[in-house]
């Protein structure tokens, strides 16, 4: 079955960096658009970043532009989120997500989520 497993979260001081990984299995990875989302306590889940199938195109939420970088390695079935200059407001559970078609708001038939990894940024 399809599985997405996030790793790399943890506790970091403001201004520090973390790199999250999302390893996929049970999918033809290169056919999927991949995204990162996060959910802070008491907040709705929100879009963070995404990357197209080839890795050529990326997009970011305004709140993380210039600080976060999303990449993928299709040979390793893995997508990454490099997070620099972390702020306390980045504290959240981070999830990876995979779709083949549609959009994040209205995905097609295939829409898979990981279990999430906790990122905590202290002030």
């Amino acid at each position: 079955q399809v599985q997405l497993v996030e790793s790399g979260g943890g506790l970091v001081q403001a201004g520090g960096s973390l790199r999250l990984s999302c390893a996929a299995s049970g999918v033809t990875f290169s056919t999927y658009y991949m995204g990162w989302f996060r959910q802070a306590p008491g907040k709705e889940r929100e879009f963070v970043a995404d990357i197209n199938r080839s890795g050529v195109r990326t997009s970011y939420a305004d709140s993380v532009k210039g600080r976060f970088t999303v990449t993928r390695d299709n040979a390793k079935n893995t997508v990454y989120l490099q997070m620099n200059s972390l702020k306390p407001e980045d504290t959240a559970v981070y999830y990876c997500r995979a779709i083949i078609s549609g959009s994040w708001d209205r995905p097609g038939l295939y829409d898979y989520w990981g279990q999430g990894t906790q990122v905590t940024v202290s002030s």
Side-chain angles (χ1 to χ4, degrees), residues 4 33-35 37 95-99 103-104 107 111-113:
L4 304 175
Y33 285 75
M34 301 296 299
F37 293 73
Y95 301 88
C96 67
R97 186 183 183 188
I99 62 171
S103 65
W104 298 120
D111 184 8
Y112 304 110
W113 292 84

Side-chain angles (χ1 to χ4, degrees), residues 30-117:
S30 61
T31 68
Y32 282 81
Y33 285 75
M34 301 296 299
W36 287 97
F37 293 73
R38 67 187 183 186
Q39 188 165 20
K43 302 292 185 180
E44 298 289 332
R45 192 169 296 186
E46 65 177 353
F47 169 80
V48 175
D50 65 15
I51 188 165
N52 76 336
R53 288 179 285 186
S54 68
V56 171
R57 292 193 176 98
T58 59
S59 63
Y60 300 90
D62 288 342
S63 59
V64 306
K65 285 180 180 176
R67 300 187 299 118
F68 290 11
T69 304
V70 61
T71 57
R72 69 190 294 163
D73 186 340
N74 287 345
K76 296 181 178 179
N77 282 12
T78 302
V79 63
Y80 305 93
L81 185 68
Q82 178 67 46
M83 305 185 295
N84 298 325
S85 302
L86 283 162
K87 304 174 181 179
E89 51 262 45
D90 295 318
T91 295
V93 177
Y94 284 71
Y95 301 88
C96 67
R97 186 183 183 188
I99 62 171
I100 291 179
S101 62
S103 65
W104 298 120
D105 288 336
R106 295 186 179 275
L109 291 174
Y110 302 96
D111 184 8
Y112 304 110
W113 292 84
Q115 294 295 104
T117 185

